[in-house]
Amino acid sequence: MTVIAIDGPAASGKSSVSRRVAARLGFACVNSGTLYRAVTREVLRQGADTSSPESIAAVLAGAEIACGIGDGGESFVRVNGDDAGAELSDAQVNSHVSLVAAVPAVRELISHLLRALARERPLVMEGRDIGTEVFPDTPYKFYLDASPEIRQARRDAEGGTDRVAARDRLDSTRKTAPLRTAADAHVVDTSHLTLDGVADAIVEKLRTLGIVPK
Ligand code: DC
């Protein structure tokens, strides 16, 4: 099993960099945040209370969550057969996802699905707890960061409504699997690097660890 773990706070560049690294290595790319977003969107769609772990657990119990790797080599997720598309990053989901992601039952289920994906093929997987909790034994761990101001500016430039500081606070202070830097992660400050520059740094580090681009 080979997993390149890329963790970091919101808008640190994880998704774009992970795609680039995966393409260079010929690995599939898994965005674990979309699974948390898909569950959150279902909780909201059902009108359940996102501050109630019991209500969230009830939604989970009745939902069929399927994820896999699509033809393009990127992960997909469907809840009860629906992939939700652009709704996964709408304002409602942005403002509730950290509450839902803090619920241990949600984390347990999603971590299980993520581990199953890694048994199928080599992956680049991005998230908050991939190197600390989901694959603590992988020797390939990266933590991307950038100043809060730069990260918020990136989101604003995308025209979104995402408040990254609020999500970061919830994601890094929750009890279960909080966002933190694994002791053995390679930290990359992306504040003043291009996406290709960050991908270059990661691919070069991986080369020294024996992972060679295709
Ligand atoms: O990567 P993203 O911003 O799309 O993630 C959305 C939220 O999902 C994030 O604020 C916290 C949660 N998440 C998590 O708790 N653990 C992960 N491995 C990935 C995402």
Side-chain angles (χ1 to χ4, degrees):
M1 195 160 77
T2 305
V3 177
I4 316 294
I6 301 187
D7 289 304
S12 53
K14 298 185 304 291
S15 303
S16 310
V17 166
S18 297
R19 267 193 221 109
R20 282 167 166 76
V21 172
R24 294 210 210 162
L25 300 177
F27 286 13
C29 185
V30 176
N31 178 337
S32 65
T34 58
L35 276 72
Y36 289 94
R37 288 175 178 275
V39 169
T40 303
R41 187 248 185 194
E42 182 64 13
V43 169
L44 292 167
R45 200 186 63 78
Q46 293 194 21
D49 178 359
T50 54
S51 64
S52 159
E54 293 75 23
S55 304
I56 293 169
V59 172
L60 268 193
E64 194 210 328
I65 302 170
C67 66
I69 308 292
D71 291 340
E74 290 199 23
S75 57
F76 65 83
V77 56
R78 290 189 202 104
V79 177
N80 298 328
D82 176 11
D83 77 0
E87 281 180 39
L88 292 186
S89 40
D90 73 13
Q92 282 289 92
V93 172
N94 281 340
S95 60
H96 291 269
V97 65
S98 293
L99 283 176
V100 174
V103 175
V106 173
R107 304 206 68 79
E108 202 176 308
L109 176 74
I110 290 179
S111 298
H112 175 80
L113 293 170
L114 296 172
R115 291 185 188 115
L117 286 179
R119 285 194 285 275
E120 289 176 24
R121 53 198 275 190
L123 301 175
V124 174
M125 188 179 290
E126 55 127 326
R128 301 292 186 290
D129 64 339
I130 307 306
T132 52
E133 301 287 341
V134 186
F135 297 102
D137 296 332
T138 182
Y140 315 114
K141 298 182 190 179
F142 296 87
Y143 187 92
L144 305 191
D145 211 347
S147 73
E149 295 74 23
I150 286 181
R151 291 186 293 107
Q152 185 61 56
R154 287 176 182 165
R155 277 295 186 264
D156 293 348
E158 290 167 0
T161 53
D162 199 8
R163 307 321 304 162
V164 300
R167 279 207 289 138
D168 290 349
R169 194 169 48 250
L170 289 170
D171 293 341
S172 50
T173 57
R174 68 183 174 221
K175 283 207 178 68
T176 310
L179 169 68
R180 63 186 174 84
T181 313
D184 52 346
H186 305 284
V187 178
V188 183
D189 184 346
T190 70
S191 299
H192 304 291
L193 291 173
T194 62
L195 295 169
D196 281 323
V198 179
D200 286 344
I202 291 177
V203 168
E204 279 319 305
K205 184 72 206 176
L206 287 171
R207 198 192 295 272
T208 69
L209 299 173
I211 302 268
V212 182
K214 64 176 181 182

